[in-house]
Amino acid sequence: MSEDVSIVGVFDEAMLRHVAGPSALQRGRKYHAEGRVTFSEQTSTSLAGEVRGSQKYKFWLKPKGDVLVWCCECVAASDGAFCKHLVAAVLTAQDGAVEAVSPAAPSKPSAKNALLDYLRVQPAERLAGWLSALAERDRDVEKRLMLYRAAEQPGTLKPALAKLLNAGGFLDYRRSIAYANKLDAGIELLEGVLLRDPVECRALCEYALGRLFPVYGRSDDSSGAIGECMHAIADLHARACAAKPPGQVLAKPLHALQCKDDWGLLALPRYWDCLGARGQSDYARAVMAEYEKVPQMAGDHDRFSEAHGVFSRTEALARCSADFELLQRVLRRDLSQPYHHLRVLESLREFGREREALAWGEAAVKRFPTDTRLRAALSGCLAAAGMLEEAIDQTWQAFRLHPDSQGWDALKRAAGNAWPLWRERALEEVTVREKGQVNQRVRLLLHDGDLAAAVELAREPSVWSDTLRDLAQRLRRSDPTTAGAFYLRLAHKQVDALNPREYPVLVDTIDNAAKLLPSAEWQPFVTEVRKRHARKTKLMLLLDAAGL
């Protein structure tokens, strides 16, 4: 990201919709309108602070090389997604149109703030009339106002929440987003109830989750909006239990909800201490009763099957109660797959049974000799037993099975000071396997930080497109000529397998090459593309727009 390009300039409407998606964009606008963002850092190219949602989530956005990177603590952004909190942060920054680097730059008033200032000076009677008229025309507004009223009248909150939770049949993509937006009001109210009365909050959260689990099953929640609300309510439920531990009375409703929870929202470790001794006993009886009813031959391959849910709850019980025998009973019920053996090995080490783990690992590798995860785990057992040569041999065998970056790192750790010798051996092994295709070695050299060696090797013609792109991006500043040459090679590959969806990608690649190379080097290629594909109007227009 160029230092003279501001975040305000980068994130226009189209870009926000592209990176966040319609659901996060819509909900982020709502958070922005409600003033939920607080900045701890605000410059033209970076932002940091927190957003008040179901709890406070810290976020940041900053440039890294030629790209903009971001992070938010919320569940929705755990995989790097651009969540509603980041949307709200960008929109709030745009309120002040931050262009200067100084965080002290004065911000311009937004239309939102102007409207808020206007509403604040209106008489209460006039505002009541406006709200009443809105409620008559919009049922969602009416439900939200009824919910606010119920929050101040004990005993009426649950019926108001029930109306809010009513889904009215199947929810398609758009209706799921609208439904989640309505749930936000309920979540806000539950946060207030948590502060006032944790016991009531717990009961209301249990009621809400009981209603939401079947609703979720009848929804197209590909946007993740309803799922995010369920995470927030489950979190409130756990916090309410921690604020005032229910003890024995929690056992039955917790188990009942977990039986409907296919997403692991109600994790037992968060509740174990809240159950108390009697509650733990009642909960254990309920779990063991369902476990004993599962047919002996039932496996847990389908994570949404009833048996899988029972096994997961039993395993969680065994871990929370530190019941080693029960844990082994559950984990060894199905040993048909290498992963099942791996989990047994890990549990043995978890409970300090290193000798048993070593014996189990050796037997498992003999049964599944091509499974790299088992070999890696056995290597750990051998190293713990002081058998370092045997440990590195298992790591080497695992790398030979799958010579990827993960195996490379494991071998590097195991080799220690002898890594230079093992590095050469690993590269020789990959060379033999490549049969003239150097791409894997280039990727490993890049992963190891040896950019010069990777670039030299990448001059061979048998490098894949994604590797060329990665090399070109890394070299833009340090070696623009080589970067441009790689972009041009990439463009040649792209034009050979061209389809309309990839026109913008091709034009972007050519544009990158043109910015780094003299016109004499890239112009002949563009001329040939225009000649060969002259009838592809869309491609010609894109080339024209890029000035190529």
Side-chain angles (χ1 to χ4, degrees), residues 455-476:
V455 169
E456 187 61 31
L457 190 58
R459 300 187 190 280
E460 297 288 331
S462 57
V463 178
W464 296 353
S465 296
D466 59 340
T467 304
L468 283 174
R469 183 183 295 105
D470 191 6
L471 282 166
Q473 290 173 345
R474 296 191 189 206
L475 291 167
R476 285 185 70 101

Side-chain angles (χ1 to χ4, degrees), residues 253-306:
L254 176 61
H255 180 257
L257 284 173
Q258 286 180 332
C259 289
K260 302 175 183 177
D261 177 16
D262 293 327
W263 304 274
L265 301 178
L266 302 164
L268 184 60
R270 295 195 70 180
Y271 296 98
W272 188 247
D273 291 339
C274 304
L275 284 162
R278 291 185 177 181
Q280 291 168 3
S281 179
D282 287 355
Y283 178 87
R285 277 195 293 271
V287 170
M288 293 309 300
E290 62 175 348
Y291 178 76
E292 299 297 347
K293 292 179 182 178
V294 178
Q296 184 63 33
M297 299 304 295
D300 66 343
H301 306 298
D302 181 3
R303 70 176 295 267
F304 293 106
S305 69
E306 183 177 349

Side-chain angles (χ1 to χ4, degrees), residues 53-72:
S54 56
Q55 59 188 68
K56 290 184 178 180
Y57 297 105
K58 292 183 179 179
F59 69 86
W60 52 258
L61 299 91
K62 62 184 179 182
K64 184 177 182 181
D66 293 329
V67 299
L68 186 69
V69 294
W70 53 74
C71 178
C72 180

Side-chain angles (χ1 to χ4, degrees), residues 305-384:
S305 69
E306 183 177 349
H308 180 87
V310 173
F311 295 155
S312 295
R313 288 188 287 277
T314 310
E315 181 182 340
L317 170 64
R319 292 185 183 281
C320 287
S321 60
D323 190 334
F324 175 77
E325 298 302 327
L326 177 59
L327 181 60
Q328 297 307 302
R329 184 180 169 192
V330 177
L331 294 180
R332 301 188 191 202
R333 187 181 185 108
D334 179 6
L335 293 173
S336 59
Q337 303 295 323
Y339 178 64
H340 299 151
H341 287 258
L342 178 65
R343 298 198 68 218
V344 172
L345 187 152
E346 290 171 343
S347 71
L348 290 168
R349 297 199 70 187
E350 178 185 343
F351 278 80
R353 305 197 177 203
E354 293 289 348
R355 293 179 62 182
E356 293 178 54
L358 177 55
W360 182 271
E362 290 174 335
V365 166
K366 286 181 181 179
R367 182 174 176 184
F368 302 101
T370 61
D371 191 87
T372 57
R373 295 173 301 178
L374 281 174
R375 286 191 178 273
L378 175 57
S379 175
C381 294
L382 290 165

